[in-house]
Amino acid sequence: MIAVEFDYKIEKDIVSVWVHDEKTGKKLASLQLPRKDVEYVARRAMKELDINEEDAYNLSVYLNYVRVTWGLL
């Protein structure tokens, strides 16, 4: 399994996500997610898991990426 790193940018209505190979830096995937979906999961994570905002958004981007690309959630 490849180790990956997520980079994202929150814009007006979308969150742009880039997935890179952690070792080589090669871009593996990119997608855009609705900002409202990412913010909803982040708010729930902060409330339910008692984590800080940055970690909540990182978790939200990852979970939304999995939901969209793999259809698991």
Side-chain angles (χ1 to χ4, degrees):
M1 177 170 248
I2 269 181
V4 296
E5 153 180 294
F6 289 84
D7 293 316
Y8 61 91
K9 180 180 180 183
I10 299 172
E11 299 176 42
K12 183 178 179 181
D13 294 329
I14 60 169
V15 177
S16 298
V17 181
W18 301 274
V19 183
H20 296 35
D21 182 312
E22 196 174 76
K23 290 183 180 178
T24 66
K26 180 181 176 185
K27 183 170 113 178
L28 302 173
S30 64
L31 71 148
Q32 293 181 326
L33 302 168
R35 182 176 178 171
K36 64 183 175 85
D37 291 353
V38 173
E39 288 183 337
Y40 173 77
V41 174
R43 282 193 311 271
R44 290 288 307 266
M46 285 187 285
K47 181 180 177 184
E48 302 290 330
L49 302 175
D50 193 30
I51 58 178
N52 66 43
E53 185 175 4
E54 182 180 351
D55 289 342
Y57 272 90
N58 290 341
L59 177 61
S60 178
V61 166
Y62 173 73
L63 291 175
N64 276 286
Y65 169 79
V66 169
R67 178 183 59 84
V68 168
T69 58
W70 298 344
L72 295 176
L73 301 176

